[in-house]
Amino acid sequence: MNEKPYVIDSHVHLDDRQFDVDRNEVVARAQTNQVGAILMSIHLDNIKPVIALAEQHQFKCAVGLHPNSADHADNTLESQLRGYAKHDSVVSIGEIGLDYYRDNVEPVVQHEVLRRQLALALELDLPVILHNRESTDDLLKILKEFPGIRGVWHSFLGTVEEAESYLELGLYLGIGGPLTFKKNEALRETVAQLPLDRLLIETDSPYLTPAPHRGKRNEPVYVRHVADMLAEVKKVSLEKVAQQTTKNTRTLFNF
Ligand SMILES: [Zn+2]
């Protein structure tokens, strides 16, 4: 039988409550199907559990404050993240960024906490995982204040022009479930024009479930549907997509 090539889901919220009932089965399905994972933290309370999950299952993880919890930052943020970053499983500062769609945290607070985490990423020489929702211009503007920053623009849904401005900054682009949505022909046409050596694949589990599982909870093994669609869109083999996106992920996150 044809073994499926190894792939890495570069964006997973494995500590999410939606996985409480069957987290070990979800992990087992990923591992028996040759799927690796990078686990996200989003607020200070979930960093320890996320690191523990990564270490238990030999995954990697990111530590940071999501813009929707940026108001939880106090003056110990940097020292806490520096301490967590000493763990071998920690490969990134994330998930950080801006979110103007959910407006529970003032933009000025989001900006300050983002700048502090970008500065810390440079200090620690770690790449960042960037969240953007209705905040593209401000996120780009702030990123440009930090030359040399490395990272991934997670859940890329933009135009070719937007992609070019992120690629120019040296960022990778995270491609997820929306690539498989029937209505997203424009996104497929855009992604067809992007360089495969700058793309990562991701699920954002438990959110953004790809076809044909839409309406159900997402999980890392479904990254295979993203990989299949990316191969179709780029008109290359699945093996090529798997090999190149895995290489990109390992290069960016240095493991
Ligand atoms: Zn996320």
Short mmCIF file of all heavy atoms in Angstrom, two decimals, residues 78-119:
data_model
loop_
_atom_site.label_atom_id
_atom_site.label_comp_id
_atom_site.label_asym_id
_atom_site.label_seq_id
_atom_site.Cartn_x
_atom_site.Cartn_y
_atom_site.Cartn_z
N GLU A 78 7.17 39.75 29.13
CA GLU A 78 8.43 39.35 28.50
C GLU A 78 9.17 38.31 29.34
O GLU A 78 9.68 37.33 28.81
CB GLU A 78 9.34 40.56 28.26
CG GLU A 78 8.91 41.44 27.10
CD GLU A 78 7.88 42.50 27.49
OE1 GLU A 78 7.32 42.43 28.62
OE2 GLU A 78 7.64 43.41 26.68
N SER A 79 9.22 38.53 30.66
CA SER A 79 9.98 37.58 31.48
C SER A 79 9.29 36.21 31.49
O SER A 79 9.97 35.18 31.46
CB SER A 79 10.19 38.11 32.90
OG SER A 79 8.95 38.33 33.51
N GLN A 80 7.96 36.20 31.48
CA GLN A 80 7.26 34.91 31.41
C GLN A 80 7.56 34.19 30.10
O GLN A 80 7.87 33.00 30.08
CB GLN A 80 5.75 35.12 31.53
CG GLN A 80 5.30 35.54 32.93
CD GLN A 80 3.79 35.43 33.07
OE1 GLN A 80 3.22 34.34 32.96
NE2 GLN A 80 3.14 36.55 33.31
N LEU A 81 7.46 34.93 28.98
CA LEU A 81 7.68 34.29 27.67
C LEU A 81 9.14 33.86 27.52
O LEU A 81 9.41 32.78 26.97
CB LEU A 81 7.28 35.24 26.53
CG LEU A 81 5.77 35.56 26.45
CD1 LEU A 81 5.49 36.52 25.29
CD2 LEU A 81 4.92 34.29 26.30
N ARG A 82 10.07 34.66 28.02
CA ARG A 82 11.49 34.25 27.99
C ARG A 82 11.69 32.92 28.71
O ARG A 82 12.42 32.06 28.24
CB ARG A 82 12.37 35.30 28.67
CG ARG A 82 12.95 36.31 27.74
CD ARG A 82 13.95 37.22 28.47
NE ARG A 82 13.86 38.54 27.88
CZ ARG A 82 13.28 39.60 28.46
NH1 ARG A 82 12.78 39.52 29.68
NH2 ARG A 82 13.21 40.74 27.81
N GLY A 83 11.04 32.77 29.83
CA GLY A 83 11.17 31.53 30.60
C GLY A 83 10.59 30.35 29.83
O GLY A 83 11.24 29.30 29.71
N TYR A 84 9.40 30.54 29.29
CA TYR A 84 8.76 29.44 28.52
C TYR A 84 9.59 29.07 27.29
O TYR A 84 9.66 27.91 26.89
CB TYR A 84 7.36 29.85 28.08
CG TYR A 84 6.35 29.96 29.19
CD1 TYR A 84 5.54 31.09 29.32
CD2 TYR A 84 6.19 28.93 30.11
CE1 TYR A 84 4.60 31.19 30.35
CE2 TYR A 84 5.26 29.03 31.14
CZ TYR A 84 4.47 30.16 31.25
OH TYR A 84 3.56 30.26 32.25
N ALA A 85 10.22 30.08 26.68
CA ALA A 85 10.95 29.83 25.43
C ALA A 85 12.17 28.93 25.64
O ALA A 85 12.75 28.44 24.67
CB ALA A 85 11.38 31.16 24.80
N LYS A 86 12.54 28.69 26.90
CA LYS A 86 13.68 27.79 27.16
C LYS A 86 13.34 26.33 26.90
O LYS A 86 14.23 25.50 26.75
CB LYS A 86 14.14 27.95 28.62
CG LYS A 86 14.75 29.32 28.88
CD LYS A 86 15.53 29.32 30.21
CE LYS A 86 16.23 30.66 30.42
NZ LYS A 86 15.46 31.52 31.34
N HIS A 87 12.04 26.00 26.85
CA HIS A 87 11.65 24.60 26.57
C HIS A 87 12.02 24.23 25.14
O HIS A 87 11.81 25.01 24.22
CB HIS A 87 10.14 24.42 26.75
CG HIS A 87 9.70 24.48 28.17
ND1 HIS A 87 9.43 23.35 28.91
CD2 HIS A 87 9.49 25.52 29.00
CE1 HIS A 87 9.07 23.69 30.13
NE2 HIS A 87 9.09 25.00 30.22
N ASP A 88 12.53 22.99 24.97
CA ASP A 88 12.93 22.53 23.64
C ASP A 88 11.79 22.54 22.64
O ASP A 88 12.00 22.69 21.44
CB ASP A 88 13.46 21.09 23.72
CG ASP A 88 14.87 21.06 24.29
OD1 ASP A 88 15.52 22.13 24.29
OD2 ASP A 88 15.29 19.98 24.74
N SER A 89 10.55 22.32 23.13
CA SER A 89 9.42 22.22 22.20
C SER A 89 8.99 23.58 21.67
O SER A 89 8.23 23.66 20.71
CB SER A 89 8.23 21.56 22.90
OG SER A 89 7.84 22.34 24.01
N VAL A 90 9.46 24.67 22.30
CA VAL A 90 9.01 26.01 21.89
C VAL A 90 9.85 26.50 20.71
O VAL A 90 11.06 26.66 20.82
CB VAL A 90 9.09 27.00 23.06
CG1 VAL A 90 8.73 28.42 22.60
CG2 VAL A 90 8.16 26.57 24.19
N VAL A 91 9.17 26.73 19.58
CA VAL A 91 9.88 27.12 18.35
C VAL A 91 9.45 28.49 17.83
O VAL A 91 9.93 28.92 16.78
CB VAL A 91 9.70 26.06 17.23
CG1 VAL A 91 10.33 24.73 17.63
CG2 VAL A 91 8.22 25.87 16.88
N SER A 92 8.55 29.16 18.53
CA SER A 92 7.99 30.40 17.97
C SER A 92 7.33 31.26 19.04
O SER A 92 6.91 30.75 20.09
CB SER A 92 6.95 30.03 16.91
OG SER A 92 6.26 31.16 16.43
N ILE A 93 7.21 32.57 18.75
CA ILE A 93 6.34 33.46 19.52
C ILE A 93 5.03 33.56 18.74
O ILE A 93 5.00 34.05 17.60
CB ILE A 93 7.00 34.85 19.70
CG1 ILE A 93 8.34 34.75 20.43
CG2 ILE A 93 6.04 35.78 20.45
CD1 ILE A 93 8.28 34.22 21.86
N GLY A 94 3.95 33.07 19.32
CA GLY A 94 2.66 33.06 18.61
C GLY A 94 1.58 32.46 19.50
O GLY A 94 1.91 31.85 20.52
N GLU A 95 0.41 32.67 19.19
CA GLU A 95 -0.13 33.36 18.05
C GLU A 95 -0.33 34.82 18.42
O GLU A 95 -1.05 35.12 19.39
CB GLU A 95 -1.46 32.68 17.66
CG GLU A 95 -2.26 33.38 16.64
CD GLU A 95 -3.53 32.59 16.25
OE1 GLU A 95 -3.80 31.49 16.81
OE2 GLU A 95 -4.25 33.07 15.37
N ILE A 96 0.34 35.72 17.69
CA ILE A 96 0.27 37.15 17.99
C ILE A 96 -0.25 37.89 16.75
O ILE A 96 -0.32 37.32 15.67
CB ILE A 96 1.66 37.69 18.41
CG1 ILE A 96 2.66 37.63 17.25
CG2 ILE A 96 2.20 36.91 19.60
CD1 ILE A 96 4.01 38.27 17.58
N GLY A 97 -0.60 39.15 16.92
CA GLY A 97 -1.06 39.91 15.75
C GLY A 97 -2.09 40.95 16.11
O GLY A 97 -2.07 41.51 17.21
N LEU A 98 -3.00 41.20 15.15
CA LEU A 98 -4.06 42.19 15.34
C LEU A 98 -5.38 41.60 14.90
O LEU A 98 -5.44 40.79 13.97
CB LEU A 98 -3.77 43.46 14.51
CG LEU A 98 -2.49 44.22 14.83
CD1 LEU A 98 -2.33 45.40 13.86
CD2 LEU A 98 -2.46 44.72 16.27
N ASP A 99 -6.45 42.01 15.57
CA ASP A 99 -7.79 41.52 15.24
C ASP A 99 -8.79 42.65 15.46
O ASP A 99 -9.11 42.97 16.60
CB ASP A 99 -8.14 40.32 16.13
CG ASP A 99 -9.39 39.58 15.67
OD1 ASP A 99 -10.33 40.25 15.17
OD2 ASP A 99 -9.43 38.35 15.80
N TYR A 100 -9.24 43.27 14.36
CA TYR A 100 -10.21 44.36 14.48
C TYR A 100 -11.64 43.85 14.25
O TYR A 100 -12.58 44.62 14.27
CB TYR A 100 -9.91 45.47 13.46
CG TYR A 100 -8.58 46.17 13.66
CD1 TYR A 100 -8.09 47.03 12.68
CD2 TYR A 100 -7.84 46.00 14.82
CE1 TYR A 100 -6.88 47.69 12.85
CE2 TYR A 100 -6.63 46.65 15.00
CZ TYR A 100 -6.15 47.49 14.00
OH TYR A 100 -4.95 48.14 14.16
N TYR A 101 -11.78 42.55 14.00
CA TYR A 101 -13.11 41.96 13.80
C TYR A 101 -13.78 41.77 15.16
O TYR A 101 -14.89 42.22 15.40
CB TYR A 101 -12.97 40.64 13.06
CG TYR A 101 -14.27 39.89 12.93
CD1 TYR A 101 -15.24 40.28 12.02
CD2 TYR A 101 -14.52 38.76 13.73
CE1 TYR A 101 -16.44 39.59 11.91
CE2 TYR A 101 -15.71 38.07 13.62
CZ TYR A 101 -16.67 38.48 12.71
OH TYR A 101 -17.85 37.79 12.61
N ARG A 102 -13.04 41.11 16.07
CA ARG A 102 -13.51 41.05 17.46
C ARG A 102 -12.91 42.27 18.14
O ARG A 102 -11.69 42.40 18.20
CB ARG A 102 -12.99 39.78 18.15
CG ARG A 102 -13.59 38.52 17.56
CD ARG A 102 -13.41 37.36 18.53
NE ARG A 102 -13.52 36.10 17.84
CZ ARG A 102 -12.48 35.44 17.32
NH1 ARG A 102 -11.25 35.90 17.48
NH2 ARG A 102 -12.66 34.31 16.70
N ASP A 103 -13.77 43.15 18.64
CA ASP A 103 -13.24 44.43 19.10
C ASP A 103 -13.23 44.53 20.62
O ASP A 103 -13.39 45.60 21.18
CB ASP A 103 -14.02 45.59 18.46
CG ASP A 103 -15.52 45.47 18.73
OD1 ASP A 103 -15.92 44.49 19.40
OD2 ASP A 103 -16.28 46.34 18.28
N ASN A 104 -13.04 43.38 21.30
CA ASN A 104 -13.03 43.43 22.77
C ASN A 104 -11.77 44.06 23.35
O ASN A 104 -11.78 44.50 24.48
CB ASN A 104 -13.23 42.01 23.35
CG ASN A 104 -12.12 41.07 22.95
OD1 ASN A 104 -11.73 41.01 21.78
ND2 ASN A 104 -11.57 40.34 23.91
N VAL A 105 -10.69 44.12 22.55
CA VAL A 105 -9.45 44.76 23.03
C VAL A 105 -9.16 45.97 22.14
O VAL A 105 -9.11 45.85 20.91
CB VAL A 105 -8.26 43.78 23.00
CG1 VAL A 105 -7.00 44.48 23.51
CG2 VAL A 105 -8.55 42.55 23.85
N GLU A 106 -8.97 47.13 22.76
CA GLU A 106 -8.69 48.38 22.03
C GLU A 106 -7.49 48.21 21.10
O GLU A 106 -6.46 47.66 21.52
CB GLU A 106 -8.33 49.48 23.04
CG GLU A 106 -9.49 49.98 23.87
CD GLU A 106 -10.48 50.81 23.04
OE1 GLU A 106 -10.01 51.49 22.10
OE2 GLU A 106 -11.67 50.75 23.34
N PRO A 107 -7.57 48.73 19.87
CA PRO A 107 -6.42 48.64 18.95
C PRO A 107 -5.12 49.15 19.57
O PRO A 107 -4.07 48.52 19.38
CB PRO A 107 -6.85 49.50 17.77
CG PRO A 107 -8.34 49.37 17.74
CD PRO A 107 -8.76 49.28 19.18
N VAL A 108 -5.18 50.21 20.32
CA VAL A 108 -3.94 50.76 20.88
C VAL A 108 -3.27 49.76 21.83
O VAL A 108 -2.04 49.63 21.87
CB VAL A 108 -4.20 52.14 21.54
CG1 VAL A 108 -5.31 52.08 22.55
CG2 VAL A 108 -2.95 52.70 22.18
N VAL A 109 -4.08 48.99 22.54
CA VAL A 109 -3.55 47.95 23.44
C VAL A 109 -2.97 46.80 22.59
O VAL A 109 -1.88 46.29 22.87
CB VAL A 109 -4.64 47.43 24.40
CG1 VAL A 109 -4.12 46.26 25.24
CG2 VAL A 109 -5.15 48.55 25.28
N GLN A 110 -3.72 46.41 21.55
CA GLN A 110 -3.23 45.35 20.66
C GLN A 110 -1.88 45.74 20.06
O GLN A 110 -0.96 44.91 19.98
CB GLN A 110 -4.22 45.10 19.52
CG GLN A 110 -5.57 44.55 19.98
CD GLN A 110 -6.41 44.10 18.79
OE1 GLN A 110 -5.90 43.62 17.79
NE2 GLN A 110 -7.73 44.24 18.90
N HIS A 111 -1.75 47.00 19.62
CA HIS A 111 -0.49 47.45 19.00
C HIS A 111 0.67 47.34 19.98
O HIS A 111 1.74 46.86 19.63
CB HIS A 111 -0.61 48.91 18.55
CG HIS A 111 -1.63 49.13 17.48
ND1 HIS A 111 -1.95 50.37 16.99
CD2 HIS A 111 -2.43 48.26 16.82
CE1 HIS A 111 -2.88 50.27 16.06
NE2 HIS A 111 -3.20 48.99 15.94
N GLU A 112 0.44 47.80 21.20
CA GLU A 112 1.52 47.80 22.19
C GLU A 112 1.99 46.38 22.49
O GLU A 112 3.20 46.10 22.50
CB GLU A 112 1.03 48.48 23.49
CG GLU A 112 2.14 48.70 24.51
CD GLU A 112 1.74 48.35 25.93
OE1 GLU A 112 0.56 48.61 26.30
OE2 GLU A 112 2.58 47.80 26.66
N VAL A 113 1.03 45.48 22.68
CA VAL A 113 1.40 44.10 23.04
C VAL A 113 2.05 43.39 21.85
O VAL A 113 2.98 42.60 22.02
CB VAL A 113 0.16 43.36 23.58
CG1 VAL A 113 0.43 41.88 23.77
CG2 VAL A 113 -0.28 43.99 24.90
N LEU A 114 1.58 43.70 20.64
CA LEU A 114 2.21 43.13 19.45
C LEU A 114 3.66 43.61 19.34
O LEU A 114 4.58 42.80 19.13
CB LEU A 114 1.43 43.53 18.20
CG LEU A 114 2.09 43.16 16.86
CD1 LEU A 114 2.27 41.64 16.73
CD2 LEU A 114 1.28 43.71 15.69
N ARG A 115 3.88 44.92 19.50
CA ARG A 115 5.24 45.46 19.40
C ARG A 115 6.16 44.81 20.44
O ARG A 115 7.30 44.46 20.14
CB ARG A 115 5.25 46.98 19.59
CG ARG A 115 4.74 47.74 18.39
CD ARG A 115 5.00 49.24 18.54
NE ARG A 115 4.63 49.96 17.33
CZ ARG A 115 3.46 50.63 17.20
NH1 ARG A 115 2.58 50.66 18.18
NH2 ARG A 115 3.18 51.25 16.06
N ARG A 116 5.67 44.65 21.66
CA ARG A 116 6.51 44.05 22.71
C ARG A 116 6.87 42.61 22.34
O ARG A 116 8.00 42.17 22.57
CB ARG A 116 5.75 44.08 24.05
CG ARG A 116 5.70 45.49 24.64
CD ARG A 116 4.76 45.54 25.83
NE ARG A 116 5.18 44.68 26.93
CZ ARG A 116 4.44 44.45 28.02
NH1 ARG A 116 3.24 45.03 28.14
NH2 ARG A 116 4.89 43.67 28.98
N GLN A 117 5.93 41.87 21.74
CA GLN A 117 6.22 40.47 21.41
C GLN A 117 7.11 40.36 20.17
O GLN A 117 7.92 39.44 20.06
CB GLN A 117 4.91 39.68 21.25
CG GLN A 117 4.16 39.59 22.58
CD GLN A 117 2.90 38.74 22.50
OE1 GLN A 117 2.90 37.59 22.92
NE2 GLN A 117 1.84 39.29 21.94
N LEU A 118 6.98 41.29 19.23
CA LEU A 118 7.87 41.29 18.07
C LEU A 118 9.30 41.60 18.52
O LEU A 118 10.26 40.97 18.04
CB LEU A 118 7.40 42.32 17.03
CG LEU A 118 6.10 41.97 16.30
CD1 LEU A 118 5.61 43.15 15.46
CD2 LEU A 118 6.25 40.73 15.42
N ALA A 119 9.44 42.56 19.44
CA ALA A 119 10.78 42.89 19.95
C ALA A 119 11.38 41.67 20.66
O ALA A 119 12.57 41.35 20.49
CB ALA A 119 10.69 44.07 20.91
#
